[in-house]
Amino acid sequence: EERLVEIHRANSASIFACDAHGLFHTWRTQVTQWDSTVATLTNIDVFIDVWKHVKEEGVLWKYDWTVKVDPDCLVVPERLRWHLGALSAPKKQPVYIKNNAMNASYSNGGFLGAVEVFSREALELYFDWWPECKKTIGVHGGEDGFMKACMDALGVGYMMDGGMFKPDDDPRKCRDGKMAAYHPLKAQESLQCCIDITNGGKHRIAWGKCKDLNPKWAQKIWPDCPPDGSCREPRWIPP
């Protein structure tokens, strides 16, 4: 994921195009296998720690909204502003945004962790009460489920934006100029392809892969890479 962060940074994309941003390095998480055979990342403790650091930095208090974005997600801040403006959310109220229109049974009730949007007042409540949420909800599960359950338990309201994003790893989805985010883009080439498309570029895509990406694209991001872009070690150093 460090490589994906470097691609975002080099293109001034995703969080690097926001009014402000913070970058947080997490430790490796476990996977929980449920009776239904569905596997879920057990990463609640990891993100409780991340949110502590967000509060300590204090930058969020300057802004109406805070957005948590995964490295394999490309968020387009300008479009996200349009989406939030269209919702006409009540000012100075605790609100979180449900971000997809998928079936609630496999979309965490419409709130998936790739791009999580909270009002300043919602996070203020969370910071006051997260220890009680941890005690009541527990830490065995995914952080998006924890955050949604905590927000709901605290009486935080929600608004629905089913068009914010739809999980799909095919870069062709990036041609949908109405969405505010694209996920999952775990392949480095797919992420660069999607960034190009959201910036107005055109690419030939087949079978879920970008077929005409400049072979030397990696050298623009990692100048010391060989011409074939084969260097794979991350350069990113956590702050």
Side-chain angles (χ1 to χ4, degrees):
E1 290 191 335
E2 288 90 346
R3 294 274 292 187
L4 301 180
V5 171
E6 291 170 358
I7 294 170
H8 287 301
R9 190 202 301 270
N11 287 276
S12 298
S14 204
I15 65 168
F16 298 101
C18 292
D19 294 328
H21 69 268
L23 205 55
F24 301 93
H25 191 68
T26 62
W27 61 86
R28 187 177 297 275
T29 55
Q30 297 178 330
V31 175
T32 297
Q33 190 77 31
W34 305 102
D35 292 339
S36 64
T37 72
V38 174
T40 304
L41 281 176
T42 305
N43 59 357
I44 293 173
D45 264 340
V46 172
F47 280 91
I48 286 177
D49 187 66
V50 167
W51 283 113
K52 287 180 184 176
H53 287 297
V54 171
K55 181 184 179 184
E56 288 169 2
E57 286 198 349
V59 177
L60 80 159
W61 305 123
K62 299 178 182 178
Y63 300 97
D64 295 330
W65 299 96
T66 294
V67 187
K68 170 258 178 187
V69 184
D70 287 348
D72 63 342
C73 176
L74 172 63
V75 66
V76 185
E78 184 177 4
R79 293 186 199 165
L80 183 57
R81 291 188 188 97
W82 297 341
H83 279 246
L84 293 175
L87 288 175
S88 298
K91 295 184 180 299
K92 300 186 183 301
Q93 295 297 318
V95 176
Y96 74 93
I97 309 299
K98 291 192 174 184
N99 55 25
N100 70 90
M102 297 168 62
N103 186 297
S105 63
Y106 53 83
S107 68
N108 187 38
F111 184 77
L112 291 174
V115 51
E116 301 175 5
V117 184
F118 305 99
S119 71
R120 179 176 52 235
E121 291 73 19
L123 288 175
E124 188 172 15
L125 273 176
Y126 168 80
F127 292 137
D128 287 342
W129 291 98
W130 72 261
E132 293 301 317
C133 286
K134 181 178 179 180
K135 184 188 303 182
T136 304
I137 300 167
V139 295
H140 299 292
E143 63 84 22
D144 51 359
F146 174 82
M147 290 300 289
K148 180 181 179 299
C150 186
M151 291 289 165
D152 291 342
L154 296 176
V156 174
Y158 70 83
M159 300 188 77
M160 186 71 192
D161 183 357
M164 185 176 293
F165 87 109
K166 181 180 180 181
D168 193 332
D169 62 0
D170 190 331
R172 279 182 296 187
K173 196 69 181 175
C174 303
R175 293 171 178 164
D176 184 340
K178 296 180 181 179
M179 290 192 174
Y182 305 93
H183 174 269
L185 297 167
K186 297 183 182 297
Q188 297 164 25
E189 293 79 2
S190 293
L191 176 57
Q192 183 62 56
C193 186
C194 190
I195 291 172
D196 291 346
I197 292 170
T198 59
N199 286 331
K202 298 184 182 298
H203 281 297
R204 182 170 59 85
I205 301 169
W207 302 103
K209 293 185 178 181
C210 198
K211 296 295 186 179
D212 59 353
L213 200 63
N214 187 323
K216 296 183 178 180
W217 73 272
Q219 283 188 290
K220 296 179 181 179
I221 299 170
W222 304 283
D224 55 334
C225 277
D228 62 358
S230 61
C231 79
R232 294 295 173 183
E233 290 302 314
R235 288 348 184 235
W236 181 69
I237 300 173

